[in-house]
Amino acid sequence: MTRKITYQQAINEALAQEMRRDPTVVVFGEDVAGGMGTDQEKDAWGGVLGVTKGLWPEFPDRVLDTPISESAYIGAAAGAASAGLRPVAELMFVDFMGVCFDQIFNQAAKFRYMFGGKAETPMVIRTMYGAGIRAASQHSQSLYPLFTHIPGLKVVLPSTPYDAKGLLIQAIRDNDPVIFFEHKVLYTMQGEVPEEAYVVPFGEAAVVREGDDVTIVALGRMVHMAAEAADTLAAEGVSCEVIDPRTTSPLDEETILESVERTGRLVVVDEAGPRCGMAADIASLVATRAFEFLRAPIRTVTPPHTPVPFSPVLEDVYVPDAACVTEAVRSVTVRQFT
Amino acid sequence: MTADLQAASDVLTRQDLLRYYRVMRTVREFEERLHIEFATGEIPGFVHLYAGEEAIAAGVCANLRDDDYIASTHRGHGHAIAKGCDVRGMMAEIYGKATGICRGKGGSMHIADLAVGMLGANGIVGGGPPLVCGVGLKARVTGTDQVAVSFTGDGGSNQGTFLESLNLAAVWNLPTIFVVENNGYAEATSPMFHQAGIEIAKRADGFGLPGAVVDGHDFFAVYEATREAVERARSGGGPSLIECKVLRYYGHFEGDQQTYRDPDEVPDARANKDCLLLFERRVTGDGLVGADELRAIDGEIATLIDEAVAEAKRAPEPALDAVLADVYVSY
């Protein structure tokens, strides 16, 4: 039975269903209960954007507010996972990761390998990323390439409500540390989501649209920019295949390579920065593994190499939009190797 | 008989005393032998020796069960042995061999064995305190009476993680104990240059926790302070901080010339404050254990360490395809 719910509701539902199913799932973070100790309000916030609202009344012992101490509670997630819980820690904005990086990339990501395969660290860090709400440089970054760079972490970027629910359930059941990136602009997006629990496996890209002329690989919110561009281009007679990798680590290399081998053209659309980002990584993958199939130069569509600006006019020009993607696709269909 | 030994002797049997002596002697022999072997150049990387601090690991872990957890430091061999890690596997690990306790993937700074509650030595100063908060949370959520202890040096006590974890453990009322091994130097820097305030234990006051200062050379003092803290944690009384004042016998790492130390400091400590010496004097002086029994243990441990080193040297290197193994869990 499917019905339409929002991306935010899909995440909330995944958490609630997994907490009902598995008593070792715990949720903690800043304000995730929010107001649970006050007389007037028993479930005030549910996180700054209300994603966890309603969980505390149902699971009062397993939904815990934390001090604003990311190092301590993200490290506590790693320790709790090592000792047998399945913690889901909410790190409000990915921009705040700087203060707890050690606990993520030196502790959680390393335990299994460094301890000779004898450790499991089944934890999830849910975090919010992306530009678009005039939140400026310290609340708007798309830092998933940093985590993709670290072996031992799994990195997840749902672009739809359906994927948000299925990928989060997979993340909670997964026995590796998972960083789960939620785009703040997508929270209100509606989509069809089954009521029952289901998983979307990691490392399997979604082919959002099939096409023959150009492969567009797009990540997170950019999937929607790519789909909009594909609609525009279809009217012009250009057939775009749009691929959403859904997880950047592991990355479904085969689906991307197979598509480019058919279309001969690649455009990568990524909200992360251009230097050492996912667009550069995927372009490199195709250039090194499928170069002989290319009929045109690879194009990447990313923001410029700059912090995210505050001014609405500047932020709008910073974030790639469908027009940027359309222009990039046109350029690779016009230019062609002889 | 002093008051703390009297208190300890109420609960410690002769067998207990022999067991804790064995732990301290094993750590000492392990470390003294590593000091010699490292100088041969056969041990890869670097090692940080615990010699001189044995009473702390032994005194703390004497109060822990197998299903309790510890998180350790750079200087982790003593904690690992006291918590029950296999000594032969540890030695092979330090040599980077396939038979190592972490299959040669971790080395001295990352010795871990979750099966005995050892969450790992840690290459990051201040890395451990948040981890034990997680273990404490696990105990609380699943309703067990497990406790978790983090060992941190005086250097690590200045990391934000340490102070954040004291606060988090207090706010969440977690069954955790934060042991600070104040061994006189944060790497090469004395507290004169890195530590504000008179005692690290007093930082507990700011979080509403009990904080105790004990002589880290004295097994019985450490044992008693930990016993009290463990009882409090197991019965829902929340976290504690214990600062153990001690001296390390070797440098920050092997090969450290220790130009920052008074040359008399270690000889004086070895002659007058050595934990094994103090322990022996007290248990034999009170007639609890015979010196001959301790010498018998010394002999057994010397043999064990000889064998561990010989086995480690003979052990196979890891297979080259192990470089890719265990990045993720396999399904």
Side-chain angles (χ1 to χ4, degrees):
Chain A
M1 181 69 189
T2 55
R3 77 259 116 104
K4 284 198 168 185
I5 59 173
T6 65
Y7 185 93
Q8 173 173 333
Q9 287 167 326
I11 292 164
N12 182 282
E13 188 168 276
L15 290 168
Q17 288 182 345
E18 285 306 287
M19 292 188 83
R20 280 176 210 134
R21 191 184 70 85
D22 181 349
T24 67
V25 177
V26 296
V27 169
F28 53 81
E30 292 150 10
D31 316 311
V32 295
M36 71 187 199
T38 60
D39 292 335
Q40 301 81 3
E41 181 58 78
K42 293 299 181 195
D43 188 30
W45 266 28
V48 280
L49 292 183
V51 177
T52 55
K53 196 166 173 62
L55 295 179
W56 179 75
E58 186 175 353
F59 310 103
D61 300 326
R62 289 193 281 144
V63 178
L64 294 98
D65 280 335
T66 65
I68 302 175
S69 300
E70 289 85 357
S71 286
Y73 79 78
I74 294 298
S82 300
L85 292 185
R86 289 187 179 272
V88 181
E90 177 175 304
L91 204 150
M92 201 180 288
F93 290 84
V94 70
D95 313 76
F96 308 161
M97 288 278 190
V99 296
C100 58
F101 245 25
D102 172 65
Q103 294 293 331
I104 299 167
F105 70 59
N106 283 319
Q107 311 297 334
K110 299 293 192 288
F111 288 163
R112 181 162 184 78
Y113 190 84
M114 203 164 64
F115 299 166
K118 292 189 286 186
E120 289 186 356
T121 316
M123 60 183 277
V124 182
I125 300 173
R126 290 181 39 246
T127 191
M128 195 160 42
Y129 77 102
I133 63 162
R134 321 317 188 192
S137 302
Q138 294 174 342
H139 290 72
S140 300
Q141 296 170 88
S142 294
L143 297 177
Y144 41 84
L146 293 180
F147 300 88
T148 308
H149 186 72
I150 308 296
L153 299 178
K154 289 177 176 169
V155 181
V156 182
L157 286 170
S159 65
T160 65
Y162 178 90
D163 282 355
K165 180 172 174 181
L167 289 167
L168 183 53
I169 291 175
Q170 173 59 37
I172 293 168
R173 295 181 188 178
D174 204 276
N175 287 328
D176 292 307
V178 179
I179 320 290
F180 192 87
F181 282 87
E182 301 166 10
H183 200 295
K184 52 179 81 74
V185 168
L186 294 179
Y187 277 135
T188 53
M189 177 195 177
Q190 293 219 334
E192 288 193 353
V193 177
E195 285 179 15
E196 68 275 12
Y198 60 92
V199 299
V200 172
F202 292 168
E204 288 187 17
V207 180
V208 176
R209 267 182 180 60
E210 294 186 351
D212 303 320
D213 297 326
V214 184
T215 299
I216 306 175
V217 177
L219 296 149
R221 184 188 175 203
M222 294 297 111
V223 171
H224 304 291
M225 303 303 184
E228 193 183 328
D231 286 343
T232 304
L233 290 155
E236 298 172 12
V238 177
S239 164
C240 298
E241 181 142 294
V242 179
I243 294 174
D244 172 5
R246 298 197 284 205
T247 59
T248 59
S249 187
L251 180 68
D252 183 353
E253 299 180 359
E254 294 318 308
T255 297
I256 296 169
L257 291 169
E258 183 276 326
S259 176
V260 174
E261 286 171 14
R262 275 191 300 102
T263 64
R265 298 181 178 91
L266 174 67
V267 172
V268 192
V269 192
D270 183 15
E271 192 177 334
R275 298 279 91 82
C276 298
M278 286 312 302
D281 186 76
I282 291 167
S284 160
L285 169 78
V286 169
T288 52
R289 302 259 306 270
F291 188 76
E292 65 272 31
F293 296 93
L294 288 173
R295 294 192 282 156
I298 297 168
R299 278 288 303 268
T300 60
V301 179
T302 69
H305 191 53
T306 176
V308 183
F310 167 67
S311 150
V313 295
L314 295 179
E315 188 181 33
D316 289 347
V317 78
Y318 169 92
V319 181
D321 61 9
C324 300
V325 183
T326 307
E327 184 279 322
V329 171
R330 284 188 190 127
S331 79
V332 300
T333 53
V334 170
R335 285 190 64 193
Q336 188 155 313
F337 297 132
T338 51
Chain B
M1 196 182 286
T2 57
D4 55 354
L5 180 54
Q6 186 146 28
S9 66
D10 290 341
V11 289
L12 294 179
T13 66
R14 212 175 123 273
Q15 288 310 318
D16 289 333
L17 293 171
L18 291 174
R19 189 162 73 243
Y20 306 142
Y21 178 79
R22 182 183 293 273
V23 168
M24 289 195 288
R25 177 57 70 189
T26 306
V27 177
R28 176 64 55 86
E29 195 74 20
F30 193 90
E31 299 292 74
E32 296 289 9
R33 186 62 181 269
L34 275 181
H35 178 67
I36 293 165
E37 297 294 340
F38 189 84
T40 70
E42 268 189 85
I43 294 174
F46 35 94
V47 297
H48 306 79
L49 297 183
Y50 191 69
E53 307 182 38
E54 292 87 346
I56 305 171
V60 169
C61 293
N63 289 281
L64 301 181
R65 301 189 310 235
D66 289 350
D67 67 340
D68 293 326
Y69 282 79
I70 63 167
S72 174
T73 68
H74 271 54
R75 209 170 297 290
H77 305 154
H79 309 136
I81 290 170
K83 193 66 179 70
C85 290
D86 175 56
V87 171
R88 293 165 196 264
M90 285 177 59
M91 191 64 83
E93 185 62 33
I94 290 165
Y95 276 83
K97 297 301 184 71
T99 54
I101 200 164
C102 300
R103 298 176 188 155
K105 297 288 242 339
S108 165
M109 270 192 295
H110 306 110
I111 286 170
D113 187 354
L114 270 62
V116 298
M118 170 55 171
L119 280 166
N122 209 309
I124 305 297
V125 174
L131 301 176
V132 303
C133 289
V135 178
L137 179 64
K138 184 260 176 178
R140 188 182 128 176
V141 168
T142 59
T144 73
D145 66 348
Q146 289 164 290
V147 303
V149 178
S150 81
F151 292 95
T152 307
D154 45 314
S157 75
N158 293 324
Q159 285 282 10
T161 48
F162 176 75
L163 298 161
E164 287 188 25
S165 296
L166 289 180
N167 183 54
L168 183 66
V171 167
W172 281 358
N173 193 39
L174 300 175
T176 50
I177 299 162
F178 299 91
V179 175
V180 174
E181 298 177 314
N182 186 346
N183 68 16
Y185 300 93
E187 301 196 355
T189 301
S190 86
M192 193 191 306
F193 300 103
H194 79 68
Q195 182 188 317
I198 307 161
E199 281 167 341
I200 295 167
K202 288 211 184 302
R203 296 179 187 180
D205 296 348
F207 301 99
L209 305 181
V213 182
V214 300
D215 177 359
H217 301 274
D218 180 352
F219 169 87
F220 296 100
V222 176
Y223 179 88
E224 276 305 317
T226 311
R227 186 165 70 122
E228 196 183 315
V230 168
E231 277 173 9
R232 180 161 47 239
R234 283 206 208 287
S235 60
S240 309
L241 171 58
I242 301 170
E243 178 184 359
C244 302
K245 297 206 169 180
V246 72
L247 277 177
R248 66 171 201 240
Y249 286 174
Y250 294 109
H252 172 55
F253 52 83
E254 281 307 272
D256 173 4
Q257 296 304 307
Q258 304 184 69
T259 47
Y260 47 87
R261 290 184 97 162
D262 180 340
D264 293 334
E265 191 175 69
V266 172
D268 177 62
R270 279 189 184 265
N272 300 308
K273 288 194 277 194
D274 185 81
C275 59
L276 287 155
L277 196 69
L278 295 183
F279 186 94
E280 178 165 347
R281 257 187 218 153
R282 295 169 75 167
V283 295
T284 56
D286 288 306
L288 298 168
V289 168
D292 54 331
E293 293 176 285
L294 301 182
R295 295 296 81 74
I297 290 172
D298 294 351
E300 287 170 38
I301 301 303
T303 305
L304 168 69
I305 300 298
D306 277 346
E307 288 173 2
V309 171
E311 277 173 21
K313 290 181 176 183
R314 281 200 304 272
E317 301 289 350
L320 294 186
D321 59 4
V323 71
L324 297 178
D326 300 319
V327 177
Y328 294 124
V329 176
S330 305
Y331 293 97

